[in-house]
Amino acid sequence: MSIPFLESRPARPARPADGGRRVVPIPASVQARLDVLASTRGTRAAYLDAASGQTLTWAAIARQVADWAACLPPGTVVALRIASPAAFSRAYLAGLAAGVCVAPVDPRASADELARALGVLEAADVVVGREDDADLLAGSGATVWLSSARGLRQLRSGRDTRLPAPGVAAVLPTSGTTGRPKLVPLSQPQLLRVAAGIAGHHALTPAERGYCPLPLFHVNAQVVGLLSTLVAGCSLVVDDRFHASRFWAAAGEFSATWVNLVPAILGILAELPPPPDAVAERVRFARSASAPLPVPVHERFEAKTGIGVLETYGMTEAASQITASPLRAADRQPGSAGRPAGVRVRITGADGGELPAGETGTVEIRGRNVIHGYLGPGRTPVPARSGDGWLSTGDLARQDARGFLYLAGRSNDVINRGGEKFHPREIEEVLLADPRVRNAVVVGRPHRLLGEEPVAYVVADSGFDHGELLARCERVLSPYKRPADVVVVDALPAGPTGKLDRRALRASLNPA
């Protein structure tokens, strides 16, 4: 069986966006790159686990590959349920190098959630990080393997129901907000091309050390974190999660030179004491991804920490990065996720036609980094692009004449109040401009006559003045954009990457 739309051609050298000076060669394969690093930098730290203190060397990872290849045939779809950051990093890279198809799942998943994930992935093999985790898979029919520093060991034999995905290096589910999650197949050439582009754009040299406290079962941490580190031959600090109380201490302890974050984390750090001067001087930039970064949060973080923010935009279907702000701080545009990096971008209107610069519409992308199709049941290909070769991201944005992209949000987040349509981010920027508002999200609430009306949820300091915030909205916003209600809450619902969960808030306003 073959999957016709996979990118399998050798990759050309990746050049950094925005005229950067660094060109990072794209390895022929993960195995080839590991071999080089194991022979030239084998005893050096590759991945450092901030949670456990464990350090992985390139040689230690390379030693795992033969064991994986002996246990699992090429193309086998293997679910990775591993909580330890070091153990996950080792298994992810060894699996890719051995030619299996890695399918990371949330390590916090319950037995029922794990069973559903395996059903969607159609995976008959699961690699876990602890022997006790095998109990969650009792009765699943899956073959369970334990990944340790000594290699793979089978814990439980399962039914012989393997359905291979030849040529697929990783398969990642989308969020599944409209029902069954879509499965995104990514090949090694795609993953390594994007990782090399990121390494080039971010000017990662072997001397660099990143710090990534983001979930490793998401594409950002895998490509921007693990794989860009592999391609550049530098090192990366991984963590089990974001710990606000020890973040800057860890960045200092491990001598991080850049940090990989999301807007929610930047917002939290903007309210905490600043990092020590020595840490702030060493960290070249804080990378932001996963969601649009509100300008007030951007400004507060930079003012508090003295560290510049490099805003980016990406999605699983593009193996992460789509646009990136220039590396040189003076060239960045506040509120923009930067310019295209390795893909083509256009903005289209309701009729599908391309819009001129400055007009807001749907973001569409195409290029060798972008998938042509999803994997349906039975590994059947499901087209992802339109007839003219473009993939619709579902995101709304405008692009200026210089190519800078300004994200507005998701198309399904648009609020329609009596025929007046607007995106919540317009209101959220106003709310967040109040220094006492630490976080804010706006969603549409059903209205008998108008259809919808905006409701704001805010996390605020104790000195917050409800009336002043409403007055600010009246001064700045058109009447139809003003929130019908402002609700103060202790926290906002968020997914594992820190992205705000608007769907959960909408459900609370309009229960089924």
Side-chain angles (χ1 to χ4, degrees):
M1 180 179 66
S2 63
I3 300 173
F5 48 68
L6 278 174
E7 169 62 67
S8 59
R9 292 173 291 170
R12 293 187 295 269
R15 295 184 177 275
D18 300 302
R21 291 179 301 225
R22 188 158 169 74
V23 178
V24 176
I26 303 173
S29 67
V30 173
Q31 171 73 80
R33 184 58 178 156
L34 268 179
D35 286 345
V36 170
L37 291 170
S39 63
T40 61
R41 305 171 62 85
T43 60
R44 298 197 184 186
Y47 302 95
L48 304 94
D49 189 331
S52 67
Q54 183 179 357
T55 296
L56 285 176
T57 65
W58 294 115
I61 299 170
R63 283 194 296 268
Q64 298 268 322
V65 178
D67 202 40
W68 276 71
C71 294
L72 295 160
T76 302
V77 178
V78 182
L80 304 182
R81 187 192 186 276
I82 303 175
S84 161
F88 178 95
S89 302
R90 181 180 59 229
Y92 178 85
L93 292 169
L96 287 178
V100 304
C101 173
V102 295
V105 299
D106 190 340
R108 304 165 303 175
S110 66
D112 288 345
E113 291 169 329
L114 187 54
R116 286 195 295 271
L118 295 180
V120 171
L121 293 167
E122 298 180 282
D125 293 86
V126 183
V127 174
V128 298
R130 303 183 312 161
E131 288 196 43
D132 292 348
D133 292 339
D135 295 338
L136 288 170
L137 294 149
S140 68
T143 298
V144 184
W145 305 85
L146 174 67
S147 173
S148 71
R150 293 184 296 275
L152 279 185
R153 176 163 61 91
Q154 190 178 105
L155 298 177
R156 191 188 302 274
S157 179
R159 294 189 293 268
D160 186 15
T161 57
R162 284 177 178 153
L163 184 62
V168 182
V171 59
L172 302 173
T174 61
S175 59
T177 56
T178 59
R180 178 187 171 95
K182 297 176 181 177
L183 296 182
V184 178
L186 298 168
S187 69
Q188 281 205 34
Q190 284 174 299
L191 291 169
L192 292 173
R193 183 185 304 111
V194 177
I198 291 167
H201 179 279
H202 295 3
L204 300 185
T205 69
E208 296 290 328
R209 174 166 291 171
Y211 180 19
C212 180
L214 305 182
L216 287 165
F217 63 95
H218 277 263
V219 70
N220 179 305
Q222 292 165 31
V223 180
V224 178
L226 301 182
L227 291 177
S228 73
T229 297
L230 172 82
V231 170
C234 50
S235 59
L236 179 74
V237 181
V238 288
D239 214 335
D240 58 346
R241 62 183 179 87
F242 168 66
H243 299 268
S245 61
R246 65 172 174 84
F247 178 82
W248 290 122
E253 176 188 352
F254 291 102
S255 300
T257 61
W258 66 283
V259 292
N260 189 21
L261 305 176
V262 294
I265 293 177
L266 292 168
I268 293 170
L269 293 174
E271 304 301 325
L272 297 178
D277 289 345
V279 175
E281 290 169 3
R282 184 183 300 113
V283 176
R284 293 191 293 122
F285 59 87
R287 188 183 194 275
S288 179
S290 179
L293 177 64
V295 172
V297 174
H298 187 154
E299 292 173 344
R300 284 205 290 266
F301 175 86
E302 291 192 339
K304 174 63 70 71
T305 67
I307 297 170
V309 177
L310 195 157
E311 190 172 358
T312 66
Y313 164 56
M315 66 187 304
T316 307
E317 286 88 338
S320 73
Q321 186 166 275
I322 295 172
T323 66
S325 295
L327 189 60
R328 196 173 72 143
D331 296 332
R332 299 174 195 155
Q333 296 295 313
S336 169
R339 293 187 283 222
V343 298
R344 293 173 59 191
V345 175
R346 72 177 185 183
I347 308 299
T348 60
D351 61 356
E354 187 168 358
L355 296 176
E359 292 194 20
T360 298
T362 301
V363 180
E364 295 188 352
I365 58 175
R366 69 180 297 174
R368 295 179 70 190
N369 299 349
V370 181
I371 65 167
H372 285 268
Y374 299 98
L375 288 184
R379 309 279 185 249
T380 56
V382 179
R385 299 197 194 188
S386 61
D388 60 355
W390 291 84
L391 184 144
S392 176
T393 66
D395 293 312
L396 296 177
R398 61 181 173 86
Q399 199 170 20
D400 68 17
R402 294 187 297 163
F404 281 91
L405 193 74
Y406 295 80
L407 292 164
R410 297 289 295 172
S411 58
N412 56 6
D413 292 333
V414 168
I415 297 172
N416 187 342
R417 189 182 200 178
E420 298 281 3
K421 297 179 181 180
F422 55 94
H423 198 275
R425 185 173 181 182
E426 297 180 65
I427 306 172
E428 291 161 1
E429 295 274 1
V430 174
L431 299 173
L432 288 165
D434 187 322
R436 291 160 296 188
V437 174
R438 288 187 279 121
N439 210 344
V441 63
V442 175
V443 295
R445 178 173 67 188
H447 188 278
R448 185 173 62 87
L449 297 177
L450 298 175
E452 286 183 295
E453 61 182 0
V455 174
Y457 291 83
V458 301
V459 179
D461 294 333
S462 56
F464 167 75
D465 188 305
H466 191 276
E468 285 187 15
L469 188 61
L470 289 175
R472 176 190 292 271
C473 292
E474 289 183 3
R475 289 196 306 271
V476 178
L477 296 170
S478 300
Y480 67 91
K481 295 180 183 176
R482 295 170 190 166
D485 197 6
V486 175
V487 181
V488 180
V489 295
D490 294 330
L492 294 169
T497 63
K499 185 183 296 186
L500 292 173
D501 190 347
R502 296 179 190 272
R503 184 172 49 154
L505 287 175
R506 282 196 295 265
S508 69
L509 291 171
N510 187 22

